[in-house]
Amino acid sequence: FSLLLLNLEEYYFEQHRANHIINKDCKDERKFRGSLKICSKSIIFEPDDNIQPIIKIPLRDCTSIKAPEDNEANNPFTRNTSGGISVVCSQVFLIKERNVIAPYKTVRGRTEHLFQLDVVWNVGDVVQTLHQLYRASCLDKMGDQAAMITAILQSRLARTSFDKNRFQSISETLHMECKAEMVTPLVTNPGHVCVTDANLYFQPLNGYPKPVVQITLQNVRRIYKRRHGLMPLGLEVFCTENDLCSDIYLKFYNYQDRDEVYFLIATYIENHIAEHTAESYMLQWQRGHISNYQYLLHLNNLADRSCNDLSQYPVFPWIIADYSSSVLDLTKPETFRDLSKPVGALNKERLDRLVTRYQEMPDPKFMYGSHYSSPGYVLFYLVRVAPEYMLCLQNGKFDHADRMFNSISETWKNCLDGATDFKELIPEFYENDSSFLVNSLKLDLGKRQGGKMVEDVELPPWASGPDDFLQKSQEALESPYVSEHLHEWIDIIFGYKQKGSEAVAAHNVFHPLTYEGGVDLNSIMDPNEKVALLTQILEFGQTPKQLFTTPHPQRIMPKLKSLSRTSSHSISIAESPVSPNEESFEDLTEESITLAWNNIAKLKLDKQYKIHKEAITGIAVTCNGSSVFTTSQDSTLKMFSKDSKTIQRSVSFSNMALSSCLILPGDTTVISSSWDNHIYFYSIAFGRQQDVLMGHDDAVSKICWRDGRLFSASWDSTVKVWRCVPGETLSNKKHHFELLAELEHDVSVNTIDLNAANTILASGTKEGTISVWDITTATVLHQLPCHSGTVFHAAFSPDSRHLLSTGEDCCFKVIDVQTGMLISSVTAEEPQRCFKWDGNTILSGSQSGELLVWDLLGGKVTERIKGHTGAVTSMWMNEQCNSVITGGEDKQIMFWKLQY
């Protein structure tokens, strides 16, 4: 017996030990021991001898259910029997005869079944229950049937409660108890949920498959709210980080109970685990910390897809388009399916027909009459390992042999050419268990038109066997081509091309009922209409919850491994413009930088000097590292010699604070920005002010220098780009300044940074806005209200793909530069005033003076290093990333060294 023998939406209430008596009063009278199971739409008898079939009698096919009275003359139970129930029916199903999974056998015609219960006094109650359920099953309308069965179920749940003797420990504290159903594929099992200070319990009403299911809260790793049957009533709990299947899926009868259980468990685990969002997984995926497979798994999870709900089963893409070659070549783009299109748009001829039909269709329009994921499709792929699920879904029958999952290439061909076949794949195609491709249960799945039996799935020539097929499918999923294009498929399934005009443009429009919010079940008052609609939606398939509303960023690919669909020509090392020696030198530098960042927590304070009278605002160091220039709110620029440990120069340009400084290439000139609206050029060689640029109407907050251009940010709400033309003669060293561009903001600009290619500038304002500008055209690409309060610092990652900012609101924010999407947010205990980062790890200077090392992907501090006695206001790091200088409100500069 399993719950899959029940009809869809049917409940199993109770069981009784009993004898099933056949051919009463005849010579060949036979008696079978077993258990009688009372279900909401059927009576099921499971014999102890598994050679005998399970008997299923639909209640609607019964003509009589009674307990014969002892005074009846023709009572079949008078001889040595008591506690009997007689059931007369017009149809009965015989299931799993000889314990073989096969289509159900139907016996039509009047038959009488006698069940003799071991516990005689249960007979009256059982007959009364069966009469009640029989009346429900005879109602004409499905909605009325469902309502009556629900009422019977709820009254049973109300009469029982969780058995507290099942608690693991007598010291456990009960937090809440409520009614719910445990969900497994195609089945829901009602019972009671209990949350204590240590465990989550579920006790099924029927005691099946075990008296109590227990989850230790300490083991919980992830918890998701789920939409079940289009209602926000589901909750799924995982005790693993990356597994596809959860430990329990519960469906509640109201969302308040669901939310309370979620709150209790989430509160318990948030002390141990950082909650993962789509954005945090995206960042890990972009930076290569999780695989394409893991990322798709997490996105499915976040989009309400669950292995326990076949109408919302995880969806994975067809990746390979070549099922005929003897060798699979993953370096050729034509080996792969075009990931920028839904399956329905891959064949242009078919698409043209569908688009014509779509244009002629009245509202609501849709392009595809079937979905890419539905219970039928999932079981189409899994019938060899989950035959009982297929029989449950299809009323005891397998599909026609020619419509079975017979061959990979046939299935792919049908998805390309079939008039109504647009299905994607399931995660099993990219995992390690190949049993779904093999008929190891020796199921009789029928005979095909050519007379061939349906056996194992036929594999493409390039696969030597089922395991090899999965191995090569995994390699394809993780290949450079897919890594480069997977974001396009995510846009279609989980992203901005899922709905609206973008979906129409991408030929990605399905029936309105498949979308979240496509129908409000609560607004439908007619229970029959509601049941019919729900059944239609669950069988048809559902579109995942939309996770992204802007284009999804591309994965960051290692250098020289580019592979695009339009050109199969990928640059080899030999053709690359970098000479081998240069390449290896670059690799060494990169290796040493990686090593430094991996050990950044081992920074040790080397020396510290108090050299200013106010907070330090800027640090610049000469190429050889011997001279350190600092600016301060005390209005001075100082030159400190590392060797002699003395201040060698101290210059004041005005009585206003200086805000930042930098050294021009060649180490001959230092530039300082000032709150007096000016930018000062100081000649190191001549020891004097060489130039002044009066470029702003308010304090200059930050300056950058790249490729002969000066970038200045100001509280006058502008960022200006200048070209500096040096003076003609030695005697006249004055620079000539030409304004190239002015980037207008609404409020004061506090900080700026440029990407490595000097083409994109990021600015942060006093009101918390981050703007990303294209310098070549002086236009704004993205503008995001990132912080509440001033942006203290912003900087591009070394690969320029991401922008990190920190502000007065104690938050770190990460923006994807290409799409402008905010992809991560980490909150600190106090404001972080300045930082350096390598794309994954952050070294930040905090308000309290500590240096903090952050694991950005994990969203947590991994090391705290004692430093200044006031806020860390400025930070410099050398190119190798193994030497750091910080300046603080305590007027000190501190020299830090990496010791590993």
Side-chain angles (χ1 to χ4, degrees):
F1 173 78
S2 95
L3 294 176
L4 291 166
L5 302 186
L6 277 57
N7 293 1
L8 293 174
E9 307 293 317
E10 183 176 9
Y11 297 110
Y12 163 36
F13 285 142
E14 60 190 55
Q15 71 166 349
H16 303 274
R17 293 297 294 159
N19 291 322
H20 179 208
I21 299 170
I22 298 175
N23 301 332
K24 49 151 176 85
D25 292 340
C26 300
K27 282 181 190 169
D28 57 348
E29 174 179 318
R30 291 157 74 203
K31 192 189 280 189
F32 298 104
R33 287 290 289 152
S35 65
L36 183 69
K37 299 173 194 297
I38 310 300
C39 306
S40 58
K41 296 179 184 177
S42 58
I43 302 167
I44 293 176
F45 182 78
E46 179 189 19
D48 292 347
D49 178 1
N50 65 15
I51 297 293
Q52 298 301 321
I54 292 171
I55 292 168
K56 178 177 175 179
I57 305 170
L59 285 167
R60 66 167 185 275
D61 294 328
C62 292
T63 50
S64 153
I65 300 170
K66 59 184 181 182
E69 297 301 325
D70 286 342
N71 58 8
E72 285 183 16
N74 61 347
N75 181 2
F77 290 103
T78 50
R79 291 184 303 105
N80 309 324
T81 61
S82 60
I85 298 173
S86 156
V87 177
V88 181
C89 61
S90 58
Q91 178 170 259
V92 63
F93 296 108
L94 305 181
I95 303 169
K96 285 175 99 169
E97 195 168 359
R98 301 190 176 279
N99 206 18
V100 172
I101 298 168
Y104 305 168
K105 284 183 186 165
T106 310
V107 178
R108 291 189 175 84
R110 184 185 182 283
T111 52
E112 183 173 4
H113 300 266
L114 297 162
F115 300 104
Q116 177 190 355
L117 270 57
D118 287 9
V119 182
V120 181
W121 52 82
N122 281 344
V123 170
D125 287 345
V126 171
V127 170
Q128 193 184 349
T129 300
L130 287 173
H131 282 167
Q132 241 186 337
L133 293 167
Y134 170 72
R135 283 199 300 278
S137 69
C138 290
L139 293 169
D140 289 341
K141 294 181 174 173
M142 294 296 290
D144 298 339
Q145 284 186 29
M148 187 167 172
I149 289 167
T150 301
I152 294 167
L153 169 66
Q154 289 301 329
S155 98
R156 282 177 163 256
L157 284 167
R159 291 199 303 271
T160 55
S161 63
F162 188 88
D163 177 6
K164 309 294 189 292
N165 294 323
R166 294 283 178 186
F167 281 179
Q168 283 287 297
S169 152
I170 50 169
S171 62
E172 272 183 72
T173 309
L174 175 67
H175 284 324
M176 84 164 285
E177 181 184 343
C178 64
K179 299 175 287 191
E181 294 174 12
M182 188 164 114
V183 178
T184 50
L186 303 182
V187 170
T188 58
N189 201 9
H192 295 275
V193 166
C194 228
V195 186
T196 70
D197 55 351
N199 294 291
L200 165 69
Y201 296 99
F202 176 75
Q203 187 169 33
L205 189 61
N206 50 31
Y208 181 88
K210 53 184 181 180
V212 72
V213 177
Q214 178 220 337
I215 305 281
T216 307
L217 295 183
Q218 217 170 341
N219 297 338
V220 174
R221 287 290 162 274
R222 294 176 289 146
I223 177 168
Y224 299 100
K225 288 181 180 178
R226 292 274 183 245
R227 201 173 33 137
H228 188 272
L230 297 197
M231 304 292 278
L233 300 172
L235 188 70
E236 194 162 22
V237 179
F238 291 78
C239 292
T240 56
E241 209 52 74
N242 290 313
D243 275 15
L244 183 62
C245 295
S246 65
D247 291 79
I248 194 166
Y249 186 138
L250 296 167
K251 174 203 166 189
F252 295 82
Y253 295 112
N254 60 67
Y255 69 88
Q256 291 92 339
D257 284 347
R258 192 276 304 266
D259 289 352
E260 191 176 344
V261 172
Y262 178 87
F263 173 77
L264 288 168
I265 300 175
T267 309
Y268 182 92
I269 66 171
E270 76 180 4
N271 304 322
H272 314 274
I273 301 149
E275 190 187 355
H276 287 301
T277 58
E279 288 74 23
S280 68
Y281 284 126
M282 181 206 289
L283 191 59
Q284 292 185 53
W285 171 74
Q286 264 200 294
R287 298 214 156 271
H289 289 251
I290 56 175
S291 64
N292 291 339
Y293 168 80
Q294 287 172 316
Y295 186 43
L296 289 177
L297 212 54
H298 289 309
L299 291 183
N300 270 289
N301 249 322
L302 290 163
D304 270 345
R305 313 303 283 188
S306 163
C307 288
N308 285 310
D309 183 351
L310 296 187
S311 70
Q312 299 192 87
Y313 202 77
V315 56
F316 269 60
W318 282 98
I319 291 292
I320 299 166
D322 174 5
Y323 295 100
S324 54
S325 303
S326 55
V327 176
L328 186 67
D329 185 351
L330 296 179
T331 63
K332 283 168 35 186
E334 47 273 28
T335 298
F336 299 94
R337 163 254 179 109
D338 182 348
L339 288 162
S340 67
K341 295 175 182 171
V343 169
L346 292 174
N347 175 342
K348 188 173 182 316
E349 280 175 41
R350 177 177 65 177
L351 179 65
D352 291 343
R353 290 197 300 273
L354 292 166
V355 168
T356 305
R357 190 190 68 172
Y358 171 77
Q359 286 163 348
E360 293 165 357
M361 194 184 280
D363 283 341
K365 293 169 178 277
F366 54 90
M367 283 179 200
Y368 308 114
S370 67
H371 206 257
Y372 49 77
S373 171
S374 71
Y377 289 159
V378 173
L379 296 177
F380 167 84
Y381 291 126
L382 297 180
V383 64
R384 288 167 179 79
V385 284
E388 289 182 88
Y389 291 89
M390 174 73 93
L391 292 171
C392 175
L393 189 70
Q394 305 208 135
N395 302 318
K397 300 183 190 73
F398 287 133
D399 208 345
H400 187 282
D402 285 300
R403 286 198 298 268
M404 282 283 190
F405 180 32
N406 291 308
S407 142
I408 307 272
S409 65
E410 253 179 54
T411 304
W412 168 244
K413 187 178 181 308
N414 208 44
C415 289
L416 284 183
D417 304 337
T420 59
D421 194 348
F422 314 109
K423 60 180 167 286
E424 290 280 8
L425 295 182
I426 54 175
E428 282 78 357
F429 279 81
Y430 302 103
E431 289 173 358
N432 299 318
D433 182 359
S434 61
S435 56
F436 75 100
L437 300 168
V438 183
N439 186 11
S440 54
L441 295 172
K442 300 289 175 244
L443 302 165
D444 180 357
L445 296 170
K447 198 177 278 188
R448 302 189 65 183
Q449 274 178 348
K452 197 178 169 193
M453 294 300 289
V454 175
E455 285 296 338
D456 299 350
V457 178
E458 198 181 300
L459 302 172
W462 46 257
S464 62
D467 290 342
D468 185 52
F469 172 76
L470 291 193
Q471 173 69 35
K472 289 195 165 86
S473 297
Q474 287 171 22
E475 287 167 12
L477 179 61
E478 302 304 334
S479 66
Y481 177 84
V482 174
S483 291
E484 228 169 79
H485 293 275
L486 189 59
H487 65 286
E488 297 170 341
W489 186 80
I490 293 168
D491 282 336
I492 291 167
I493 305 296
F494 303 106
Y496 81 111
K497 290 183 179 176
Q498 193 199 81
K499 293 178 185 172
S501 57
E502 293 288 356
V504 177
H507 305 118
N508 192 35
V509 184
F510 293 87
H511 194 286
L513 287 181
T514 66
Y515 295 94
E516 184 176 28
V519 61
D520 177 10
L521 284 181
N522 291 325
S523 68
I524 299 170
M525 300 323 290
D526 181 345
N528 301 302
E529 191 187 332
K530 188 181 281 191
V531 167
L533 198 60
L534 187 58
T535 307
Q536 184 188 344
I537 289 163
L538 298 184
E539 286 178 7
F540 192 87
Q542 290 173 263
T543 302
K545 178 188 269 178
Q546 190 174 21
L547 298 178
F548 309 105
T549 51
T550 55
H552 190 288
Q554 195 174 3
R555 192 167 199 181
I556 298 166
M557 298 300 294
K559 289 177 205 156
L560 303 174
K561 287 186 186 165
S562 171
L563 175 67
S564 78
R565 201 177 171 82
T566 46
S567 138
S568 59
H569 177 77
S570 79
I571 306 169
S572 72
I573 298 281
E575 294 166 15
S576 96
V578 180
S579 71
N581 296 346
E582 225 176 301
E583 179 73 22
S584 57
F585 175 71
E586 202 173 281
D587 283 356
L588 280 175
T589 313
E590 228 162 82
E591 251 174 56
S592 65
I593 289 171
T594 306
L595 184 67
W597 274 104
N598 287 345
N599 291 280
I600 203 78
K602 295 175 184 167
L603 266 186
K604 293 283 181 287
L605 182 60
D606 186 27
K607 294 179 177 68
Q608 62 192 91
Y609 305 98
K610 188 170 177 180
I611 59 171
H612 280 279
K613 291 177 182 160
E614 293 290 341
I616 287 158
T617 56
I619 303 170
V621 183
T622 52
C623 281
N624 59 13
S626 63
S627 298
V628 178
F629 288 86
T630 54
T631 48
S632 166
Q633 286 182 5
D634 66 8
S635 82
T636 63
L637 166 71
K638 294 192 190 283
M639 173 179 164
F640 181 82
S641 164
K642 225 174 141 188
D643 305 329
S644 65
K645 303 177 184 48
T646 56
I647 296 169
Q648 297 195 324
R649 307 263 174 90
S650 182
V651 191
S652 212
F653 303 110
S654 74
N655 59 358
M656 298 284 274
L658 296 176
S659 57
S660 69
C661 63
L662 56 86
I663 301 177
L664 292 190
D667 286 352
T668 58
T669 307
V670 181
I671 314 180
S672 303
S673 54
S674 171
W675 284 9
D676 69 2
N677 314 356
H678 299 351
I679 298 164
Y680 295 96
F681 289 69
Y682 175 79
S683 164
I684 300 171
F686 293 102
R688 63 165 187 248
Q689 178 185 323
Q690 188 177 324
D691 255 318
V692 60
L693 169 58
M694 293 179 257
H696 287 277
D697 302 324
D698 202 339
V700 182
S701 51
K702 180 88 187 275
I703 49 173
C704 295
W705 178 277
R706 297 283 178 87
D707 284 350
R709 286 178 300 168
L710 175 68
F711 300 82
S712 57
S714 167
W715 295 354
D716 68 6
S717 308
T718 66
V719 174
K720 293 184 177 176
V721 186
W722 311 86
R723 183 163 53 217
C724 296
V725 184
E728 295 302 310
T729 60
L730 278 174
S731 59
N732 176 15
K733 271 289 193 179
K734 296 274 182 209
H735 290 74
H736 167 61
F737 301 103
E738 182 189 340
L739 181 62
L740 298 178
E742 188 168 324
L743 313 179
E744 291 278 356
H745 295 68
D746 296 335
V747 291
S748 301
V749 183
N750 202 52
T751 185
I752 51 171
D753 190 46
L754 281 109
N755 69 344
N758 307 326
T759 52
I760 295 175
L761 177 139
S763 58
T765 70
K766 283 204 168 177
E767 284 185 4
T769 304
I770 294 281
S771 303
V772 179
W773 299 80
D774 179 345
I775 303 168
T776 52
T777 58
T779 52
V780 71
L781 300 172
H782 312 293
Q783 201 160 42
L784 289 93
C786 274
H787 297 273
S788 50
T790 302
V791 179
F792 287 139
H793 191 58
F796 289 93
S797 56
D799 60 13
S800 302
R801 292 294 295 267
H802 294 136
L803 177 74
L804 177 68
S805 61
T806 178
E808 207 175 345
D809 56 3
C810 307
C811 288
F812 280 116
K813 302 281 175 118
V814 182
I815 293 169
D816 180 80
V817 175
Q818 179 199 358
T819 59
M821 188 189 281
L822 180 66
I823 59 173
S824 185
S825 180
V826 176
T827 307
E829 293 164 6
E830 56 176 342
Q832 304 299 304
R833 297 285 293 272
C834 52
F835 65 83
K836 296 289 176 188
W837 76 310
D838 71 338
N840 302 311
T841 308
I842 309 170
L843 174 69
S844 68
S846 66
Q847 187 73 33
S848 62
E850 283 183 311
L851 295 192
L852 302 183
V853 179
W854 296 80
D855 165 17
L856 182 58
L857 302 175
K860 56 182 186 288
V861 176
T862 55
E863 192 67 42
R864 293 174 178 273
I865 305 165
K866 287 242 179 302
H868 295 265
T869 53
V872 184
T873 49
S874 189
M875 186 182 290
W876 172 89
M877 183 184 259
N878 67 343
E879 206 178 324
Q880 288 77 36
C881 306
N882 57 13
S883 170
V884 173
I885 304 172
T886 55
E889 269 178 2
D890 58 4
K891 308 156 194 172
Q892 299 199 80
I893 55 168
M894 294 187 170
F895 291 83
W896 305 82
K897 270 205 179 126
L898 211 45
Q899 295 179 343
Y900 54 86

